[in-house]
Amino acid sequence: MPPVEPALVPAPRTVEESAPGGFPLTPDTPLWAGPGTGTTERWLRSTLGPALGLRFPPGTEDTRDGLRLRLDDTLAPEAYRLAVLPGRGVEIAGGGPAGVFWGAQTLRQLLGPDAFRKAPVRPGATRTVPHRIVEDGPRFRWRGLMLDVARHFMPKEGVLRYLDLMAAHKLNVLHFHLTDDQGWRIEIERYPRLTETGSWRARTKLGHRASPLWNDTPHGGHYTQDDIREIVAYAAERHIAVVPEIDVPGHSQAAIAAYPELGNTDVVDTSSLTVWDTWGINPNVLAPTDTTLRFYEGVLEEVLELFPADATGPSAFASSSSSLPFSSFSSFVHIGGDECPKDQWRASDVAQKRIADLGLADEDALQSWFIGHFAGWLAERGRRLIGWDEILQGGLAPGAAVSSWRGYAGGVAAARAGHDVVMCPEQHVYLDHRQDAGPEEPVPIGYVRTLEDVYRFEPVPAELTPEDAGRVLGTQANAWSEVTENQARVDYQVFPRLAALAEVAWSALPAPAERDFAGFERRMAAHYRRLDALGVAYRPPAGPLPWQRRPGVLGRPIDGAPPQR
């Protein structure tokens, strides 16, 4: 890669010094926003302005002593050109509204860590933007973070905060894991017991599922429909698509506890089930009945209203990502599809009759039929299904996409079969996994995945042909929450590794072994000051602080290097 500004994360394509010195921003510096740049103008006035005491009075297109925002159709939609020139002020040009917004995030970094605060800490100080020309744009269109709010609920304010943190790192997809065995987090008006019963559990396993410890305080919470609308609107202002996940047919005990008829009632007394209070793979799965299908169609009807798609037309449903626009990411609905044990279906006369009536080979084919039903149902409404890589078993409907989590193999198989793929293998980008092998690491889960490990993660498998590689939409980090019970714990697990993932997703990095991790660490030294200003309780490079440790709480560490495939 060419040399980059030391403090910029993720690394831009090119940075040039246009002249010595810089352009001073004062409270009287005017701001002009051209057509299509309103989201960036609002963000500058509501976020950057209050941080630095800048009023941004209105300017004109010809303003030479201010900040100008404009669209430039010669650039790719998310690309931008940030030019700070003597006598010309600051201009951010983007190929689309998102490009202008990402350029504003770079401007914020150039202004120093004070720009990441809520109010001025040095009132009246002149802020100087160095004379630079930054040409930049993303490698991948899907640059995501999955937040699991089902195992441990994250209040709405925490979600909004994470959307701001994503925007600061040029991430553009929030995968919102809303339902699981341990909790149902989204209000569905026609099925009120999903939140009345399904959003609370009586107690919670403390640590790994083998731990003898329990937290006996009831845990729960959910988002009202207006909360969801607010989250989606807040994300859209930051050019972030929100992809909801409603997990089926496994990971569904919270729903079955609320509506027992959804379970395999001829095998287990579903009326005795409660919201699950521990971790692992749950044997209680949805029954493959018409009652279940109609129930989840009702759920999804409300979900589609709360998470509206902003793209229509053939390009939103192309099987190849080469014609898939960013805006269509909001057309996706994630249905889970992972870790669905088949024991109850094997023992259920109802399930076996369904297999026979459909002429299916076995229970795996029954799950494929179940997933296929919702793929077709969503497609009829102009939406796209995405699920974990288990949905490939038994075949997958055209237009459906895959989140490859069990290594690379699922993504390779999906791409070769013509499906779009988001690469998020657990061995590399599961941020609940421990960051060091040391005994002070809190609740050690899984493989050691250091900051450098994440930085050297490559989303595109080498064995894919160029055509198949084009179906890799991008990548995301997954933050599962079994052992992250509050904001500080989430911050510790997610940061600073999310900054590394953001650079992997955005920047045109060389092959993993050739990446300049030492240079990234030098830039991170400045970036930690930004995270400090934002109040992020990240893992320090030297290891956890005393209050970040969790002595005596059993984890599940896995020794050795993770498999690469």
Side-chain angles (χ1 to χ4, degrees), residues 22 53 72 90 143 214 251 318 321 337 381 425 455 485 501 512 518 540-541 552-553 555:
D72 181 348
V90 180
R143 307 180 302 279
W214 294 88
H251 288 292
S321 63
R381 289 153 181 81
Y455 190 68
E485 67 277 8
L501 185 280
V553 180

Side-chain angles (χ1 to χ4, degrees), residues 273-475:
L273 296 178
T274 60
V275 177
W276 213 27
D277 57 13
T278 190
W279 320 121
I281 299 176
N282 190 306
N284 295 300
V285 303
L286 297 174
T289 63
D290 289 343
T291 296
T292 301
L293 297 180
R294 301 293 88 76
F295 182 95
Y296 275 88
E297 288 170 0
V299 168
L300 290 172
E301 284 177 2
E302 296 192 25
V303 167
L304 298 191
E305 189 274 327
L306 294 170
F307 296 88
D310 59 6
T312 57
S315 62
F317 306 99
S319 61
S320 170
S321 63
S322 61
S323 58
L324 185 66
F326 155 74
S327 58
S328 68
F329 292 162
S330 62
S331 71
F332 280 107
V333 175
H334 206 292
I335 50 71
D338 63 315
E339 297 181 329
C340 178
K342 308 299 192 300
D343 294 341
Q344 290 186 357
W345 288 355
R346 294 186 185 97
S348 166
D349 291 339
V350 171
Q352 292 302 311
K353 184 175 187 303
R354 176 70 85 176
I355 290 172
D357 290 347
L358 294 171
L360 301 176
D362 54 21
E363 291 77 19
D364 287 339
L366 182 61
Q367 176 168 337
S368 177
W369 165 82
F370 194 102
I371 299 299
H373 172 85
F374 287 106
W377 187 92
L378 288 167
E380 289 172 359
R381 289 153 181 81
R383 307 299 281 269
R384 292 187 68 186
L385 181 145
I386 184 170
W388 303 111
D389 54 54
E390 286 96 329
I391 68 174
L392 286 165
Q393 297 167 3
L396 186 56
V402 170
S403 302
S404 185
W405 75 274
R406 295 179 300 171
Y408 286 89
V412 170
R416 287 174 173 168
H419 296 283
D420 290 327
V421 179
V422 176
M423 295 302 302
C424 51
E426 65 169 330
Q427 303 91 337
H428 303 278
V429 292
Y430 268 36
L431 300 187
D432 54 316
H433 284 206
R434 57 193 172 136
Q435 301 180 65
D436 189 83
E440 295 179 339
E441 206 65 30
V443 199
I445 299 294
Y447 296 101
V448 173
R449 292 288 85 191
T450 65
L451 182 65
E452 181 173 1
D453 290 329
V454 176
Y455 190 68
R456 297 192 188 280
F457 164 61
E458 172 50 50
V460 179
E463 61 264 42
L464 290 180
T465 66
E467 180 183 359
D468 291 340
R471 297 189 176 94
V472 178
L473 297 177
T475 185

Side-chain angles (χ1 to χ4, degrees), residues 52-77:
L52 300 177
L54 304 175
R55 294 193 296 269
F56 290 127
T60 68
E61 186 174 3
D62 297 326
T63 296
R64 290 296 179 264
D65 60 349
L67 176 57
R68 300 180 304 282
L69 311 175
R70 67 179 182 87
L71 299 184
D72 181 348
D73 61 9
T74 67
L75 300 172

Side-chain angles (χ1 to χ4, degrees), residues 505-519:
W506 178 276
S507 305
L509 298 176
E514 300 169 8
R515 293 177 187 173
D516 182 9
F517 179 69

